[in-house]
Amino acid sequence: MGGHEGGEEASAIAIQDLSQTFAPMVTLPTEAELLKAVCHANQLIYEQNESQQRRDLARMGTTLVMLLCAQDRVMLTHVGDSRIYQIVEGGQGAKLLQCTRDHELANHLMDVGVSPSVARARADAHQLTQALGPKHEQAIAPALQSIPLQESCLFLLCSDGLSDFDVIENHWQEHLLPLLHPDADLQQGLDAFMDLGDRLNGHDNLTAIMVRCLLPPSPATTLEEPNFFSDIPSTLITLPEPEPSAQPPEPANSLIGDFWFKGG
C-alpha cells in the first residue's frame, strides 16, 4: 500500500496463509469458504500490527487478487486496487474484460450518488477503502466472483503499478492477445509486457501473474493436480474429471492451463 511500511511482510503473510488453505484443494471452495480464508489472512496481518503497536503509516497491509480454477470454472476474489483482467478471443471478436473494480474512494463515492466528475476530481480519489491487514476483518468486504469458462482465455492478475494510466487497455491487443495461442511463450510474453509497464509506469513496483486457460475440442488425459501457489516453474496441467454420480452430468470441457509470475 502506497506510503505504508511493511507491505512485503504483509504480502508474505497473506500468500503463506492462503496457499496453505487452497493449494491442497482439487475442487473449488464455496463462497463462504473463500470469504473465511481471506478474512483469516486479514486477521493474521491485523494481529501482527496490533502486537507490534503499529500506527498510521507504519501499519502494514496489502492488496489481494486471487484466482482459483477447477474444471471449467474460475473463482476470483480481490481486496484493494490490484486487478484481474480477462482476454478472450470469441466469435464476436477479441475482448479485454476488467473483472475487478478498485476498492477506492472515488468508486465508493459514486456508489452513494456522487457524480463521477466530482468523485474523480478529489485529491484522495485513489485512496484505498479496503486492504488486508490495517483493520479488523469486520471492516473488509472482499469481492467474490464465479465465472464459467466457455472459451479459451488469458487472465492477467496485476498490481496497480502495471495497470495505472491505462497501460493494459492501450496495449493488450499487441502484447496480450497473441499469448492466447497455445504455442505462444507465456514467460517471454509476460517479460515483454512487464518491460513495457516499467518504461511507461516506472513510478511504482510491478507484479503480475498470467494464467492461460485452454479448452480443447476433445477431452485431454489427466496429468497432475495443479498447485497455483508453487514457486512458479512453467506448469501445464489438465484438471481431473468430477467423480461419477448416480445421474452423470454432461461432460465438462477439460481445462489445460499454464501460468507465469513476475514481480518486483
Side-chain angles (χ1 to χ4, degrees), residues 4 9 11 14 38 76-77 81 85 99 102 110 116 129 147 161 201-202 210 241 246 255:
H4 284 250
E9 183 180 354
S11 299
V38 174
L76 312 176
T77 185
D81 61 356
Y85 291 87
C99 302
D102 297 346
M110 286 186 282
T129 57
I147 300 177
N201 274 354
M210 286 185 182
E241 296 293 333
L255 172 67

Side-chain angles (χ1 to χ4, degrees), residues 109-120:
L109 292 174
M110 286 186 282
D111 289 343
V112 297
V114 177
S115 70
S117 60
V118 172
R120 291 171 179 155

Side-chain angles (χ1 to χ4, degrees), residues 27-39:
T27 59
L28 292 176
T30 65
E31 289 192 0
E33 290 171 333
L34 183 53
L35 179 61
K36 180 180 178 181
V38 174
C39 288

Side-chain angles (χ1 to χ4, degrees), residues 15 25 28 60 76 94 104 110 116 162 194 198 203 209-210 245:
I15 290 170
M25 289 189 175
L28 292 176
M60 62 182 175
L76 312 176
E104 293 183 336
M110 286 186 282
L162 184 59
M194 292 286 279
D198 195 39
H203 64 285
I209 297 173
M210 286 185 182
S245 61

Side-chain angles (χ1 to χ4, degrees), residues 7-105:
E8 184 175 356
E9 183 180 354
S11 299
I13 293 171
I15 290 170
Q16 180 178 13
D17 186 55
L18 291 168
S19 64
Q20 288 175 348
T21 300
F22 292 114
M25 289 189 175
V26 295
T27 59
L28 292 176
T30 65
E31 289 192 0
E33 290 171 333
L34 183 53
L35 179 61
K36 180 180 178 181
V38 174
C39 288
H40 184 265
N42 177 88
Q43 200 65 12
L44 290 180
I45 304 169
Y46 172 79
E47 290 172 358
Q48 189 85 331
N49 278 322
E50 293 296 291
S51 67
Q52 296 176 3
Q53 297 183 340
R54 290 173 174 260
R55 296 293 180 264
D56 302 323
L57 292 179
R59 207 161 175 81
M60 62 182 175
T62 181
T63 63
L64 169 73
V65 281
M66 183 165 64
L67 181 151
L68 301 170
C69 182
Q71 293 301 324
D72 55 356
R73 182 168 292 275
V74 297
M75 293 186 74
L76 312 176
T77 185
H78 88 282
V79 178
D81 61 356
S82 293
R83 293 181 180 178
I84 302 177
Y85 291 87
Q86 183 185 22
I87 297 94
V88 296
E89 188 175 27
Q92 298 181 345
K95 295 181 293 185
L96 172 73
L97 306 172
Q98 183 178 325
C99 302
T100 56
R101 186 168 182 256
D102 297 346
H103 291 140
E104 293 183 336
L105 183 60

Side-chain angles (χ1 to χ4, degrees), residues 69 71-74 86-97 147-155 177 180 211-217 253-256:
C69 182
Q71 293 301 324
D72 55 356
R73 182 168 292 275
V74 297
Q86 183 185 22
I87 297 94
V88 296
E89 188 175 27
Q92 298 181 345
K95 295 181 293 185
L96 172 73
L97 306 172
I147 300 177
L149 291 178
Q150 299 174 331
E151 55 192 330
S152 296
C153 63
L154 179 75
F155 287 98
L177 185 58
L180 269 173
V211 181
R212 181 167 54 197
C213 300
L214 305 176
L215 293 177
N253 288 318
S254 297
L255 172 67
I256 296 177

